[in-house]
Amino acid sequence: MTERVVVGGALCHEGRLLAARRSAPPELAGRWELPGGKAEPGESVPEALVRELREELGVETEPLERIPGEWPLRPGLVLHVWTARLVSGVPAPLEDHDELRWLGPEELESVDWLDQDRPAVAEAGRRLRADGPQGRPAARGGV
């Protein structure tokens, strides 16, 4: 069986990571995630990330690099997470979310992350701490 990729965006801006609270489906509502969604057939994962963040948040972004690892969501779906830079716009919860929060590295544990997002959130937090309070995520080793 071919696995379909769901891409999550570790969207970083001014030393903080964007967290999105799910509003649906009921079993995930109220928990927090890195926003994103499924790559469409023929679409690259970075293209899917840009499209999904535009649809879900109303922003333009630039994918930077994939965070190592992949996490199973359910049979046939696997999560890949990419760091991304905010290019333009102000994120708003347009689809699938009812609240957004910008979290500094010291605040990442203040929300109830979906289990599959936790390893990527931890890595994004390490990178934010390394970049410093005004840091922007930089590509580390190519995309």
Side-chain angles (χ1 to χ4, degrees), residues 118-137:
R118 288 180 184 276
V121 167
E123 177 58 23
R126 281 191 286 279
R127 293 177 185 200
L128 285 173
R129 283 187 289 281
D131 290 339
Q134 296 303 313
R136 288 184 14 205

Side-chain angles (χ1 to χ4, degrees), residues 27-118:
E27 63 271 15
L28 301 179
R31 299 206 50 208
W32 295 79
E33 69 174 356
L34 299 171
K38 296 180 189 85
E40 297 296 335
E43 183 178 49
S44 74
V45 175
E47 289 169 342
L49 179 62
V50 170
R51 177 185 53 76
E52 286 287 346
L53 295 181
R54 184 183 302 127
E55 291 172 1
E56 289 189 2
L57 306 174
V59 295
E60 294 301 319
T61 58
E62 176 189 8
L64 298 175
E65 72 172 334
R66 185 172 161 198
I67 290 179
E70 62 179 39
W71 300 274
L73 299 175
R74 64 177 190 252
L77 287 179
V78 63
L79 175 67
H80 292 185
V81 175
W82 282 66
T83 59
R85 179 178 74 83
L86 182 64
V87 174
S88 66
V90 176
L94 303 177
E95 287 185 11
D96 301 323
H97 303 105
D98 62 3
E99 186 179 341
L100 304 175
R101 288 187 194 168
W102 287 106
L103 302 173
E106 69 287 348
E107 300 170 298
L108 294 177
E109 293 302 316
S110 69
V111 299
D112 183 18
W113 293 99
L114 293 175
D115 295 340
Q116 65 269 14
D117 285 33
R118 288 180 184 276

Side-chain angles (χ1 to χ4, degrees), residues 6-17:
V6 174
V7 63
L11 184 59
C12 300
H13 184 66
E14 297 180 350
R16 297 175 296 158
L17 177 69

